[in-house]
Amino acid sequence: MTFSSAAHRALDAACSRGAHYADVRFENNRTERIEVRNGVVAAFVDTTSIGYGIRALIDGAWGFCASNDLSDAGLDLAAKRAVEIARACSSVAHTKFGAAPQTRYVDHYETPHIIDPRLIPLGKRVALLLDAERALHIEDSIGVGRAWIDLWRSEKHFYSSIGSKIEQTILQSGSGIAAMAIGDGDVQTRNFPGDNGLYQSGGWEIIERAQLLENAPRIAQEALELLRAPQTPSGITDVVLGGSQVSLQIHESCGHPAELDRVLGWEANFSGTSFLEVNQLGNLRYGSDLVSISVDNTLPLGMATCGYDDEGTKSVHSDIVRNGLLTGYEMSNDTARSIGRESNACVRAESWEFVPMIRMCNLVLAPGNTPFEELFTDIKDGIYMESNRSWSIDDRRLNFQFGCEIAWEIHNGKRGRMLKNPTYGGVTPQFWNSCDAIGDHASWVAWGTPNCGKGEPMQTGRTTQAAAPARFRNVAVGVGFNE
Amino acid sequence: MNNQQREALATRVLGMVASGDAEVLVSADESALTRFTRDTIHQNVAKHETSISLRILRDGKMGVARTNILNDEGLEACVAHASALTAFSPPDPLLGQLPVSPTVEPTPGAFDQATTDATPMYRADAVATIFKHAQAANAWCAGYVSTASYGVTIANSRGALQSFDGTDAAINTKMTAPDSTGFAEAHATNIASLDADAVGRRAARIAVDSAQPVGVAPGEWTVVLAPAAFGELLTYIGDHFSAQAFDEGSSFFGRDLGRPYFSPNLSISDDFSHPLAPSMPFDFEGQRKSRVDLVRSGIVNDIVTDSYYARKLGRTNTGHALPAPNAVGPQPLNLVVAPGKHTRDDLVHSVERGLFITRFWYIRVVDRRRAIVTGMTRDGTFLIENGSIVRGVKNMRFNVSIVDALAHCEPAREQARTGGYAYSLVVPTVRIDGFTFTSGTDF
């Protein structure tokens, strides 16, 4: 049976049972994880997963059923269950918000890439990690060395009862190294690149770009030096954040609060609501004039880059914050219509077995015009922090506290001695309004996040926050270490 | 897929492996979840999947492949992938033989047929019940009702064969009133034990009682943590009791077992058979699980192991392996805090001035070695004065060492099961002295 004939069977089964609209998404997913830990291959996993999810809409209420049973009977049963669920949902729901996509697409998309990872021999993939991990062990105090590669290949086939037929092949790749130094009653860890590796859409060229082996000795040395480094002091000071940390800041304090389902209360019991309420659209001064953040699902190298989202809406670029002003959200068909807008294609499911929902996709902080080293020049006393270590923010996304792996003092415009356990905290709009410089395009990177959690059942999303280092004034630092 | 079918599938896969030790994990899941907000159901989902994970060990090398394509072609491809992966690893001398454990009896109370058979209408009716409480309290609600059944079979080429069927059901809801919120939850292996009416009523009561919250100053407070709050805090120290963390020396106790770190009132075990949360009696290598007393009267007493770390450390295999391979080593997934002597109300009455906390949010590790974490309160934080809960307070951010907190901890007599997206555990309400808050919010 082809996906096309299976899709027609499933859609016919759903519509004949009363669905006003139905779609079905088949996925054939292949993932590979290799992890080397202290000289041994601790993980070497090849996963193949095929299945489908059917959405049925009845009287403004959705039902969803997923299965890996591709037989005729399996398709019929899944369609029947999706319809039954929609009907049960409709029976108690007072508000019927469900809305079907209006535009039909017949198209295909493939992630641009240079080297198909399948062409790289398995032995070469493992050897790269063994070499990089070995290079971390520059002293016995490196208690744990790790090096890893993740490869994803997803073939998606989307069909809907309005005639959409969209075929996509998505490739995403990532790799990283980490050194854990243990000694003097302390544990300090450094990751590279960024805080969890370099994750982007594309092929093996993404792995090569990370330059794991070349950077391993430096990362290990930094982990060792952190054991002996002084504690980051507590107080109010100017801060420069490295690009990957700005990426995390965007993710937590803009990406999540700008998800319109969260704004509408759909995540209230779990991942929370949002301070970016609909009546503030066009009015809220989210950040300084320098701060412009957009959602761009066509971004080259973005982990969420694709032709169409998982309810069949074509990828677009749209503003969230323009010159500091709140102007938009990440939206689905349902939620966009509830505020008189159109979807900007931000609906994703982790894989076939999950219901598509609004997910953070690719967020882009527009680069500024300040070369990286000039971010420090007019700081008399401050701190430069790199690589996220901890992240916590309240359930309306206002009060946050983040920690980094490593920091350096800034004195009279120059970087000074290394500091350990750096943390900083604040309140989201005040913090972004204190941003007075953003790095230029030369320091701007599409940082991928491979493990963003949201939803019940929990789904793991892969997002990107493209960012450059940035400067913030009068920030509370050393939070949590006041002793 | 029932357990005879899973065992037949596992045997079939083992028969396809030409050389080396092999282990097959067959998982068959049926789950459904109805998620609601305000006055509507916005996500209503069901899932069915059967999949296998195959681990092959050959000359100290390991390869793992997973698939949900269960025809001959799919299984043969899976065997070929796992086998191919073993060719490229350097040998690990600690990768020994796969464990073989006698067949383990099912855990009493772990499976319930009615939970397996629950319909979408059952879940919808539970949601309608909660809607009524929200309306009566002039609040809106958000939450879920879920039911799941899962079957696991583990077999290996040395003769191990274990099967388990379990069920789970849960209801949780948050109630949002004009300036306050409340939360309640219920978890059980059988739906008959869940009471949507009680959950809705309790969450609404907390929201109403915490209305018009006032701000209080950050600093050190005596707190009384309800099970949802204490349980989430405790999950951030569970992995310190892994043999992997112990071996690395990254646990808060380094490699020192037998030392008093916590209050003598506190005992923590890992117990898969607790009646409030009965679960799988063997681990993901098919090894019989042991109940492990991690903390006995405040003394750090023991760690959990799997076959790899038992061999490496020369310790007994306690049966706490996760599905292979994984980066975190063996883990205690069934934490149970022993009950104390006093009632929950006694603990509140014992506090002259403090805070009662219903739930935490977004706890993250700030300093691994000292087990310092930060997080927020949410969904029902109250001021306690002269032994009574007097009013709601605005939410606050804390920064505490869990080790320090548990050193000043008094558990209550009543235990409850609590859970989130990644954990399930049995804990009482506790009183903790010297809990440090560092900032607040406007809500």
Side-chain angles (χ1 to χ4, degrees):
Chain A
M1 180 186 284
T2 64
F3 284 135
S4 176
S5 62
H8 286 113
R9 184 175 188 99
L11 295 176
D12 288 347
C15 292
S16 67
R17 286 180 165 83
H20 306 149
Y21 166 88
D23 58 40
V24 59
R25 175 174 41 87
F26 295 87
E27 292 191 18
N28 181 350
N29 298 323
R30 185 84 182 263
T31 64
E32 181 180 293
R33 166 87 179 179
I34 312 173
E35 180 172 337
V36 171
R37 186 184 178 93
N38 285 353
V40 301
V41 180
F44 203 165
V45 191
D46 181 324
T47 303
T48 303
S49 178
I50 296 180
Y52 55 95
I54 301 173
R55 292 199 307 170
L57 183 66
I58 295 180
D59 191 21
W62 286 109
F64 175 84
C65 185
S67 175
N68 71 330
D69 185 346
L70 289 154
S71 67
D72 285 353
L75 289 159
D76 291 346
L77 180 62
K80 176 171 173 279
R81 291 183 72 189
V83 169
E84 285 173 354
I85 289 168
R87 206 159 262 138
C89 177
S90 178
S91 71
V92 299
H94 297 286
T95 302
K96 309 292 174 64
F97 63 88
Q102 300 290 306
T103 308
R104 169 181 177 271
Y105 293 101
V106 177
D107 203 355
H108 63 89
Y109 171 88
E110 182 170 5
T111 302
H113 60 279
I114 299 169
I115 306 168
D116 187 332
R118 293 177 297 187
L119 301 178
I120 304 300
L122 274 174
K124 183 176 176 182
R125 297 180 217 174
V126 176
L128 176 118
L129 295 182
L130 287 167
D131 290 346
E133 197 278 333
R134 191 179 303 116
L136 292 168
H137 290 275
I138 58 174
E139 281 188 25
D140 289 345
S141 294
I142 299 296
V144 181
R146 294 171 55 230
W148 63 90
I149 290 174
D150 287 302
L151 302 170
W152 293 276
R153 179 187 184 86
S154 179
E155 293 172 8
K156 296 186 179 189
H157 307 259
F158 176 91
Y159 300 82
S160 78
S161 60
I162 62 169
S164 286
K165 178 185 175 187
I166 302 165
E167 298 187 348
Q168 304 190 84
T169 301
I170 312 289
L171 269 69
Q172 298 155 321
S173 304
S175 64
I177 51 174
M180 181 190 284
I182 302 172
D184 303 330
D186 198 5
V187 174
Q188 293 289 337
T189 302
R190 285 287 287 130
N191 281 264
F192 177 85
D195 50 59
N196 59 15
L198 181 67
Y199 285 84
Q200 297 180 325
S201 68
W204 186 256
E205 67 276 9
I206 309 300
I207 309 300
E208 293 179 341
R209 194 174 296 151
Q211 297 192 296
L212 303 182
L213 178 61
E214 295 83 345
N215 285 280
R218 174 179 65 83
I219 290 301
Q221 185 61 38
E222 288 179 353
L224 290 169
E225 289 177 21
L226 281 168
L227 290 176
R228 298 180 285 273
Q231 172 67 38
T232 301
S234 299
I236 305 293
T237 192
D238 296 338
V239 164
V240 175
L241 299 180
S244 71
Q245 180 59 24
V246 174
S247 162
L248 185 279
Q249 185 81 42
I250 296 165
H251 182 102
E252 298 292 348
S253 66
C254 181
H256 281 311
E259 293 161 344
L260 187 53
D261 58 345
R262 185 188 296 258
V263 175
L264 298 175
W266 293 15
E267 286 287 325
N269 68 309
F270 174 46
S271 53
T273 58
S274 173
F275 72 100
L276 299 177
E277 294 170 1
V278 174
N279 60 11
Q280 294 174 316
L281 207 53
N283 302 313
L284 179 75
R285 175 52 62 180
Y286 176 89
S288 67
D289 288 346
L290 295 175
V291 177
S292 288
I293 300 172
S294 56
V295 53
D296 185 356
N297 298 332
T298 67
L299 178 76
L301 304 177
M303 288 286 273
T305 298
C306 58
Y308 298 82
D309 75 358
D310 284 342
E311 58 177 5
T313 303
K314 193 173 178 62
S315 292
V316 294
H317 174 280
S318 63
D319 289 333
I320 303 291
V321 174
R322 176 178 281 263
N323 299 125
L325 204 64
L326 176 68
T327 56
Y329 295 107
E330 297 141 289
M331 299 177 287
S332 60
N333 271 288
D334 296 337
T335 57
R337 281 182 212 180
S338 75
I339 63 165
R341 295 199 170 194
E342 290 190 0
S343 170
N344 51 0
C346 288
V347 176
R348 300 283 190 284
E350 178 182 330
S351 62
W352 59 265
E353 69 258 49
F354 290 101
V355 67
M357 60 190 293
I358 293 180
R359 295 308 304 249
M360 193 187 314
C361 297
N362 300 322
L363 289 180
V364 177
L365 172 66
N369 54 16
T370 307
F372 174 60
E373 289 299 336
E374 291 182 21
L375 291 171
F376 304 98
T377 49
D378 73 342
I379 294 179
K380 185 171 184 303
D381 289 296
I383 297 174
Y384 171 59
M385 302 187 193
E386 268 190 6
S387 296
N388 186 264
R389 180 165 103 176
S390 72
W391 61 101
S392 175
I393 190 165
D394 74 46
D395 64 353
R396 294 188 65 212
R397 301 274 155 180
L398 285 163
N399 178 313
F400 68 83
Q401 179 181 315
F402 298 143
C404 290
E405 291 179 352
I406 190 167
W408 289 267
E409 286 179 337
I410 305 169
H411 186 60
N412 290 332
K414 303 285 185 196
R415 270 206 264 180
R417 61 179 181 159
M418 183 186 290
L419 301 169
K420 72 177 173 185
N421 303 328
T423 58
Y424 67 101
V427 176
T428 297
Q430 286 92 316
F431 182 77
W432 280 105
N433 274 284
S434 77
C435 177
D436 73 345
I438 298 174
D440 61 13
H441 212 284
S443 58
W444 187 81
V445 173
W447 292 102
T449 301
N451 55 354
C452 172
K454 184 183 174 188
E456 288 171 321
M458 177 72 139
Q459 297 191 40
T460 300
R462 297 191 280 276
T463 75
T464 282
Q465 303 76 223
R471 186 173 66 210
F472 301 86
R473 301 291 189 180
N474 299 316
V475 178
V477 301
V479 188
F481 286 92
N482 314 50
E483 293 179 354
Chain B
M1 187 177 270
N2 62 34
N3 74 15
Q4 287 84 9
Q5 291 168 316
R6 296 195 307 269
E7 289 176 3
L9 175 59
T11 303
R12 186 168 143 220
V13 175
L14 288 176
M16 294 176 168
V17 180
S19 64
D21 267 5
E23 172 191 86
V24 182
L25 162 63
V26 182
S27 305
D29 298 333
E30 285 276 352
S31 60
L33 184 144
T34 298
R35 205 163 183 219
F36 55 94
T37 188
R38 297 188 186 273
D39 61 356
T40 194
I41 292 172
H42 63 294
Q43 281 176 17
N44 206 346
V45 303
K47 175 194 165 189
H48 157 84
E49 184 182 20
T50 302
S51 62
I52 68 155
S53 178
L54 170 65
R55 174 163 65 147
I56 296 179
L57 302 181
R58 191 179 291 150
D59 303 326
K61 303 173 181 181
M62 177 170 68
V64 177
R66 297 173 183 149
T67 189
N68 67 357
I69 307 170
L70 304 181
N71 56 28
D72 284 346
E73 189 183 352
L75 296 177
E76 282 164 7
C78 184
V79 171
H81 293 153
S83 185
L85 298 182
T86 61
F88 301 100
S89 311
D92 180 352
L94 289 167
L95 269 180
Q97 290 185 321
L98 292 166
V100 179
S101 182
T103 301
V104 183
E105 292 300 308
T107 313
F111 179 81
D112 172 58
Q113 188 62 45
T115 302
T116 298
D117 297 339
T119 65
M121 278 313 300
Y122 164 82
R123 296 190 300 276
D125 288 344
V127 171
T129 301
I130 293 170
F131 282 167
K132 287 176 190 164
H133 285 288
Q135 194 171 19
N138 190 29
W140 62 272
C141 56
Y144 71 81
V145 181
S146 68
T147 53
S149 61
Y150 47 95
V152 175
T153 292
I154 295 163
N156 70 37
S157 53
R158 297 188 60 237
L161 179 64
Q162 308 279 11
S163 284
F164 172 75
D165 287 284
T167 51
D168 222 351
I171 300 174
N172 94 8
T173 190
K174 170 175 178 159
M175 291 280 179
T176 302
D179 61 3
S180 60
T181 58
F183 171 79
E185 63 179 343
H187 305 263
T189 53
N190 61 87
I191 54 171
S193 296
L194 298 185
D195 184 346
D197 188 60
V199 170
R201 183 183 303 113
R202 192 160 67 246
R205 182 81 263 155
I206 292 170
V208 169
D209 288 349
S210 60
Q212 297 182 297
V214 296
V216 296
E220 286 200 358
W221 285 79
T222 293
V223 295
V224 176
L225 305 183
F230 183 48
E232 183 156 8
L233 186 71
L234 202 65
T235 61
Y236 285 83
I237 206 165
D239 67 337
H240 287 247
F241 294 91
S242 163
Q244 180 171 301
F246 175 82
D247 180 46
E248 293 167 356
S250 62
S251 297
F252 69 87
F253 52 88
R255 295 187 178 94
D256 286 341
L257 294 175
R259 285 186 53 195
Y261 281 89
F262 302 143
S263 160
N265 300 314
L266 188 72
S267 293
I268 305 173
S269 62
D270 183 87
D271 184 2
F272 71 92
S273 65
H274 194 283
L276 288 176
S279 68
M280 202 162 80
F282 51 86
D283 70 4
F284 287 95
E285 294 180 317
Q287 174 74 25
R288 177 196 291 270
K289 271 190 178 179
S290 303
R291 179 196 144 110
V292 180
D293 289 330
L294 304 170
V295 176
R296 193 179 283 162
S297 300
I299 294 169
V300 173
N301 179 66
D302 209 347
I303 56 173
V304 297
T305 61
D306 57 11
S307 67
Y308 184 92
Y309 280 98
R311 195 174 298 121
K312 184 171 187 185
L313 298 171
R315 300 181 70 91
T316 303
N317 184 351
T318 63
H320 288 80
L322 300 188
N326 68 81
V328 294
Q331 292 291 320
L333 299 180
N334 304 100
L335 291 177
V336 175
V337 173
K341 296 174 185 163
H342 307 290
T343 67
R344 168 200 176 278
D345 290 344
D346 289 341
L347 293 188
V348 173
H349 295 330
S350 71
V351 176
E352 187 177 340
R353 190 162 193 273
L355 299 172
F356 182 91
I357 295 167
T358 301
R359 193 184 186 196
F360 285 135
W361 164 244
Y362 224 132
I363 298 176
R364 286 293 181 273
V365 177
V366 175
D367 184 307
R368 161 79 193 182
R369 190 64 160 80
R370 288 185 281 175
I372 296 173
V373 295
T374 186
M376 299 292 303
T377 65
R378 81 190 288 199
D379 302 336
T381 304
F382 296 89
L383 183 64
I384 303 172
E385 285 185 334
N386 301 319
S388 297
I389 291 174
V390 293
R391 67 177 308 158
V393 299
K394 293 177 180 175
N395 288 303
M396 305 229 283
R397 172 171 295 287
F398 64 88
N399 277 272
V400 297
S401 159
I402 303 177
V403 181
D404 292 345
L406 297 185
H408 305 91
C409 170
E410 174 78 42
R413 186 185 301 162
E414 307 91 344
Q415 291 171 306
R417 181 177 162 191
T418 182
Y421 58 82
Y423 61 93
S424 168
L425 63 176
V426 175
V427 296
T429 296
V430 295
R431 169 186 161 145
I432 294 174
D433 295 324
F435 204 85
T436 303
F437 294 91
T438 51
S439 62
T441 68
D442 293 331
F443 59 92

